[in-house]
Amino acid sequence: MEIIFSKYDAAKYPFLPIAREYVKELGYDLNEFNESNSYILDKSLKRILLALDNKPSKELGEPDEEIISFLISLLILNILDIRSVSKRFALAEAERIENFIENDLKDENERRRESILRYIFENTLGLKIIEDSMQKYKIKVAEYLRRSVNLHDPHWRLINKDVYEGYVHLEIHDIVRLIREEIALLIYEKIEKMNVKDIPESIKNRVEILRRYTINDKRFKPIIIVNKYPPCINHILSTLEKNDNVSHTARFLLATYMLAIGKSIDDTCSLFEHAPDYNEKITRYQVEFLAGKRGNRKSYNCPSCEKIASMNLCYKNEECDNIRTPLQFGMKRNG
Amino acid sequence: MDSIDILKRAFRRYYFDKFDTKLDRIKEREFGYATFDNRVIRHISFNDKNELRALLVREIPADVYASNAYYTNPEAEIELKNWLAADLIFDIDIKDLALPCMKDHQFSICINCKDISNEKICLKCRSNTKEVNIPCNNCIEEGKHQVFKILEMLNELGANKISVYFSGNNGFHIHVNDEELSYLNSEARRDIADYIKGIGIIPDIFGMGRKKNIDHIKDALNSEKGWKGRIARELLSRMDRNRLISSLRKKSYENFNNELRDITKRLGVTIDTVVTIDTHRIFRLENTLSSKSGLAKIKIDDVSQFNPYEDAVFIDDEPTKVHIHYAPKLLIKGNSFGPYKDEIVSLPLYAAVYLICKGLASEPKVLN
Ligand SMILES: [Zn+2]
Ligand SMILES: [Zn+2]
């Protein structure tokens, strides 16, 4: 089946190669944008700022502007070179794209739906999704689990899904949510790969404006890693530091550890600020829950080394010296 | 164990004459074993099954384990093994089923004076006791029932290459050798374990969330497949559809939530989650003997016909004198034994080994 994609699609899905090709076809060179195009440069900067506040525009603008402002945003972020800023932008843009995919999968035109499935899911993400019945799609159990484990709401658990014949049967909304992190990663990788030779001053100016904006924002400051933490804890901190997603069990370990060594709830919460899906309210609720200030008022202990190993989170080295819990790390053992 | 000679003789003959295995990718697995003097050796590997058999014949281990995981370097310490994938495994332990018949065949024997009781410390001599369980027919049938349930659910998950094993003592092991599922990490395996156990269900999927949705409720009651289907059938078996719908309309979120939890717990399978989520475990190897019973962990082709006291007995019947401290009536290999109380009896080797492994018999003391 032929894939039907227009410039409107390139505008909705500017992370796809078709967007790049479209710009090339029009004869634009990103490096030629100077103050005479300040409108589009400001639009790009605004696009980044909205994304950082997690309020990307829901509307689709004029296609050329959409595509070019997206690509210039990538350029600006590449020069800015702050990982946490790029990650946050990528995630917010991915969320925006999610809405477009959702609408396209609801399109009455079967070829249109098929094009999205083939072009975005199959060719770009390598994920085979099958249309099951109208407004329902199915995905292999293993493919589902590989993604759903990073989503913490109980409705993602396998038992709460329609599972039969080897497939998880999902509503459109769930299917698109499932791939958010992968789209964000594609966008992030695009930022890193931008070619930044011969950048005009006009674009560099926007980079400096953005730098001043982000420099005092604690969300984008690197975490200080104290080397007295045991390796399992350091590993989680450095994953967070890279703004990568951290599994539910790793979050549990980090929070219970920090609480156990006497860190305040505030300090413990702030460690998660770098998580790409950080939500202050939810994080606080969860940390307070573990500290026994919520729910059944039971406080949770830091897991033992054995438990941590069984969760695949153990990175033990000689310094661990046969301790039985990460809390013993660095302490002289008796006898 | 004070009767190692008999056990070793029996185990040696088994490994020498009868042991074979169809285990695949032997080279990529970690092996481990426990000796009769309670040492545990891990992180060993073999090029093929002949090397494995050579070790079994040479060492005569009390218990033998192989990893469900495949590694580039199975011999290396855990961080250097380079994990590639792992079979998905499930452990059904009959003891965890809390069956009413347990009280009839679980007891404790004092390791010193051999007094029989239900105590952890012997009331007569204050020594420790050993817990003994001799699964009855009912236990085994209940275990099989769990196996059938897990097979139904694994079928929903689309799992291929499923093998059912008798665990060698008191339960069943399920091995899933499915490539797609073999790459799943421990968190994904936990989600599968919860699915099998029936843990974590929310009322919302029945339209019974904080805000009820009658159309959704009616829809869910029409379900045939998966958990929704199981629950719908259970609810509809209690009252007819119209009464059920009006009762659900009136039911509070909390009440329905509790009801759901009861149902899923009952319809779920009792498995040990720790086994399933551990992707670095070494797990009893097929066709090896358990030192807890002398029976073999073996693959079961026809679960409904399986009888461990018939089909998992591979030790020979050489007459062997043992001092039996206590034994209820037993039926092994179609032969009935006992009951016995503090007597020296000549039994076929397989029955002698079974009682020694259970701590109920020992080698008769030789007078010098
Ligand atoms: Zn005693
Ligand atoms: Zn029983």
Side-chain angles (χ1 to χ4, degrees), chain B residues 112-124:
Chain B
N112 175 43
C113 75
K114 312 294 181 189
D115 188 55
I116 302 293
S117 69
N118 284 309
E119 311 292 331
K120 287 204 158 53
I121 304 283
C122 175
L123 294 176
K124 287 195 174 149

PDB file of all heavy atoms in Angstrom, chain B residues 112-124:
ATOM      1  N   ASN B 112      17.390 -35.185  66.862  1.00  0.00           N
ATOM      2  CA  ASN B 112      18.181 -35.928  67.840  1.00  0.00           C
ATOM      3  C   ASN B 112      17.464 -37.199  68.307  1.00  0.00           C
ATOM      4  O   ASN B 112      17.873 -38.314  67.989  1.00  0.00           O
ATOM      5  CB  ASN B 112      18.518 -35.001  69.013  1.00  0.00           C
ATOM      6  CG  ASN B 112      19.244 -35.724  70.123  1.00  0.00           C
ATOM      7  OD1 ASN B 112      20.135 -36.518  69.846  1.00  0.00           O
ATOM      8  ND2 ASN B 112      18.840 -35.464  71.357  1.00  0.00           N
ATOM      9  N   CYS B 113      16.330 -37.027  69.014  1.00  0.00           N
ATOM     10  CA  CYS B 113      15.683 -38.204  69.607  1.00  0.00           C
ATOM     11  C   CYS B 113      14.597 -38.809  68.714  1.00  0.00           C
ATOM     12  O   CYS B 113      14.008 -39.816  69.049  1.00  0.00           O
ATOM     13  CB  CYS B 113      15.108 -37.858  70.980  1.00  0.00           C
ATOM     14  SG  CYS B 113      13.598 -36.874  70.910  1.00  0.00           S
ATOM     15  N   LYS B 114      14.357 -38.162  67.518  1.00  0.00           N
ATOM     16  CA  LYS B 114      13.416 -38.669  66.513  1.00  0.00           C
ATOM     17  C   LYS B 114      11.966 -38.686  66.994  1.00  0.00           C
ATOM     18  O   LYS B 114      11.131 -39.416  66.441  1.00  0.00           O
ATOM     19  CB  LYS B 114      13.818 -40.079  66.027  1.00  0.00           C
ATOM     20  CG  LYS B 114      15.294 -40.222  65.659  1.00  0.00           C
ATOM     21  CD  LYS B 114      15.673 -39.398  64.461  1.00  0.00           C
ATOM     22  CE  LYS B 114      17.152 -39.589  64.096  1.00  0.00           C
ATOM     23  NZ  LYS B 114      17.601 -38.631  63.069  1.00  0.00           N
ATOM     24  N   ASP B 115      11.664 -37.924  68.019  1.00  0.00           N
ATOM     25  CA  ASP B 115      10.282 -37.828  68.474  1.00  0.00           C
ATOM     26  C   ASP B 115       9.446 -37.098  67.423  1.00  0.00           C
ATOM     27  O   ASP B 115       9.912 -36.149  66.808  1.00  0.00           O
ATOM     28  CB  ASP B 115      10.236 -37.077  69.815  1.00  0.00           C
ATOM     29  CG  ASP B 115       8.843 -37.130  70.417  1.00  0.00           C
ATOM     30  OD1 ASP B 115       8.333 -38.244  70.592  1.00  0.00           O
ATOM     31  OD2 ASP B 115       8.274 -36.049  70.671  1.00  0.00           O
ATOM     32  N   ILE B 116       8.216 -37.542  67.226  1.00  0.00           N
ATOM     33  CA  ILE B 116       7.326 -36.918  66.236  1.00  0.00           C
ATOM     34  C   ILE B 116       6.411 -35.926  66.948  1.00  0.00           C
ATOM     35  O   ILE B 116       5.808 -36.239  67.974  1.00  0.00           O
ATOM     36  CB  ILE B 116       6.463 -37.998  65.534  1.00  0.00           C
ATOM     37  CG1 ILE B 116       7.351 -39.038  64.851  1.00  0.00           C
ATOM     38  CG2 ILE B 116       5.480 -37.369  64.553  1.00  0.00           C
ATOM     39  CD1 ILE B 116       8.158 -38.535  63.681  1.00  0.00           C
ATOM     40  N   SER B 117       6.301 -34.708  66.389  1.00  0.00           N
ATOM     41  CA  SER B 117       5.451 -33.691  67.014  1.00  0.00           C
ATOM     42  C   SER B 117       5.076 -32.667  65.959  1.00  0.00           C
ATOM     43  O   SER B 117       5.300 -32.859  64.772  1.00  0.00           O
ATOM     44  CB  SER B 117       6.226 -33.007  68.143  1.00  0.00           C
ATOM     45  OG  SER B 117       7.269 -32.214  67.583  1.00  0.00           O
ATOM     46  N   ASN B 118       4.517 -31.541  66.425  1.00  0.00           N
ATOM     47  CA  ASN B 118       4.309 -30.415  65.526  1.00  0.00           C
ATOM     48  C   ASN B 118       5.100 -29.213  66.013  1.00  0.00           C
ATOM     49  O   ASN B 118       4.761 -28.078  65.727  1.00  0.00           O
ATOM     50  CB  ASN B 118       2.822 -30.077  65.434  1.00  0.00           C
ATOM     51  CG  ASN B 118       2.087 -31.088  64.570  1.00  0.00           C
ATOM     52  OD1 ASN B 118       2.516 -31.364  63.444  1.00  0.00           O
ATOM     53  ND2 ASN B 118       1.024 -31.672  65.103  1.00  0.00           N
ATOM     54  N   GLU B 119       6.162 -29.459  66.751  1.00  0.00           N
ATOM     55  CA  GLU B 119       6.926 -28.372  67.382  1.00  0.00           C
ATOM     56  C   GLU B 119       8.189 -28.053  66.583  1.00  0.00           C
ATOM     57  O   GLU B 119       8.723 -28.895  65.878  1.00  0.00           O
ATOM     58  CB  GLU B 119       7.342 -28.795  68.805  1.00  0.00           C
ATOM     59  CG  GLU B 119       6.227 -29.368  69.657  1.00  0.00           C
ATOM     60  CD  GLU B 119       5.181 -28.316  70.023  1.00  0.00           C
ATOM     61  OE1 GLU B 119       5.546 -27.128  70.105  1.00  0.00           O
ATOM     62  OE2 GLU B 119       4.005 -28.692  70.207  1.00  0.00           O
ATOM     63  N   LYS B 120       8.638 -26.788  66.747  1.00  0.00           N
ATOM     64  CA  LYS B 120       9.905 -26.394  66.105  1.00  0.00           C
ATOM     65  C   LYS B 120      11.098 -26.852  66.945  1.00  0.00           C
ATOM     66  O   LYS B 120      12.172 -27.125  66.422  1.00  0.00           O
ATOM     67  CB  LYS B 120       9.968 -24.872  65.934  1.00  0.00           C
ATOM     68  CG  LYS B 120       9.031 -24.377  64.839  1.00  0.00           C
ATOM     69  CD  LYS B 120       9.513 -23.038  64.295  1.00  0.00           C
ATOM     70  CE  LYS B 120       8.957 -22.776  62.909  1.00  0.00           C
ATOM     71  NZ  LYS B 120       7.490 -22.889  62.818  1.00  0.00           N
ATOM     72  N   ILE B 121      10.875 -26.902  68.273  1.00  0.00           N
ATOM     73  CA  ILE B 121      11.897 -27.396  69.189  1.00  0.00           C
ATOM     74  C   ILE B 121      11.307 -28.625  69.881  1.00  0.00           C
ATOM     75  O   ILE B 121      10.171 -28.578  70.347  1.00  0.00           O
ATOM     76  CB  ILE B 121      12.223 -26.340  70.272  1.00  0.00           C
ATOM     77  CG1 ILE B 121      12.656 -25.002  69.640  1.00  0.00           C
ATOM     78  CG2 ILE B 121      13.265 -26.865  71.264  1.00  0.00           C
ATOM     79  CD1 ILE B 121      14.057 -24.982  69.108  1.00  0.00           C
ATOM     80  N   CYS B 122      12.088 -29.685  69.929  1.00  0.00           N
ATOM     81  CA  CYS B 122      11.598 -30.928  70.525  1.00  0.00           C
ATOM     82  C   CYS B 122      11.265 -30.716  72.007  1.00  0.00           C
ATOM     83  O   CYS B 122      12.074 -30.182  72.765  1.00  0.00           O
ATOM     84  CB  CYS B 122      12.647 -32.028  70.373  1.00  0.00           C
ATOM     85  SG  CYS B 122      12.184 -33.548  71.219  1.00  0.00           S
ATOM     86  N   LEU B 123      10.056 -31.138  72.408  1.00  0.00           N
ATOM     87  CA  LEU B 123       9.652 -30.948  73.797  1.00  0.00           C
ATOM     88  C   LEU B 123      10.406 -31.908  74.727  1.00  0.00           C
ATOM     89  O   LEU B 123      10.527 -31.678  75.913  1.00  0.00           O
ATOM     90  CB  LEU B 123       8.148 -31.179  73.940  1.00  0.00           C
ATOM     91  CG  LEU B 123       7.267 -30.152  73.215  1.00  0.00           C
ATOM     92  CD1 LEU B 123       5.795 -30.521  73.338  1.00  0.00           C
ATOM     93  CD2 LEU B 123       7.532 -28.743  73.728  1.00  0.00           C
ATOM     94  N   LYS B 124      10.907 -33.007  74.162  1.00  0.00           N
ATOM     95  CA  LYS B 124      11.578 -34.007  74.998  1.00  0.00           C
ATOM     96  C   LYS B 124      13.033 -33.662  75.258  1.00  0.00           C
ATOM     97  O   LYS B 124      13.511 -33.765  76.377  1.00  0.00           O
ATOM     98  CB  LYS B 124      11.488 -35.389  74.346  1.00  0.00           C
ATOM     99  CG  LYS B 124      10.094 -35.962  74.429  1.00  0.00           C
ATOM    100  CD  LYS B 124      10.104 -37.444  74.134  1.00  0.00           C
ATOM    101  CE  LYS B 124       8.708 -38.013  74.375  1.00  0.00           C
ATOM    102  NZ  LYS B 124       8.439 -39.143  73.484  1.00  0.00           N
TER     103      LYS B 124
END
